[in-house]
Amino acid sequence: MEKIVPIYVKQTLKSLRVRLNLSQDEAAKHLGISVMTLRKLEVDSSEITFDMMKKVSELYVCPLDYIFFGPHNAFSGNLMNRELSCTS
């Protein structure tokens, strides 16, 4: 049976980049994309290609299952909903 990774243990692209102390410029160079493209992906990575997902996973040394791919506001909303359900 496949385990589903809970949203609260996933990391956003930005949080992974910051964790490695990389600037957007440095990360974009490693990924072979422009800084503008990286900025867009950090806000909404819902249309990221699988090849780019693998590059991100390798650069940030993080399994794909632990990376949140989607709009950043959806990630924040999911976390907020989880926090509210835990406090009720």
Side-chain angles (χ1 to χ4, degrees):
M1 187 166 141
E2 189 176 321
K3 292 184 178 182
I4 296 176
V5 178
I7 189 78
Y8 60 88
V9 298
K10 294 191 177 215
Q11 299 289 314
T12 64
L13 298 182
K14 182 177 180 178
S15 68
L16 289 167
R17 176 180 57 76
V18 169
R19 183 184 72 175
L20 290 180
N21 200 28
L22 291 173
S23 68
Q24 285 182 324
D25 189 56
E26 292 167 324
K29 284 179 185 169
H30 285 292
L31 294 170
I33 58 177
S34 70
V35 174
M36 183 59 72
T37 299
L38 180 60
R39 285 182 186 144
K40 288 179 183 177
L41 290 175
E42 286 186 352
V43 171
D44 184 358
S45 58
S46 57
E47 294 187 21
I48 192 171
T49 65
F50 186 67
D51 285 340
M52 184 56 63
M53 286 179 173
K54 291 190 297 187
K55 287 181 182 180
V56 165
S57 176
E58 290 170 11
L59 174 63
Y60 297 144
V61 193
C62 185
L64 286 174
D65 289 346
Y66 289 86
I67 303 173
F68 177 79
F69 294 104
H72 188 267
N73 59 351
F75 180 78
S76 300
N78 284 331
L79 284 181
M80 191 172 359
N81 289 339
R82 181 184 181 283
E83 288 174 6
L84 289 174
S85 67
C86 288
T87 59
S88 354

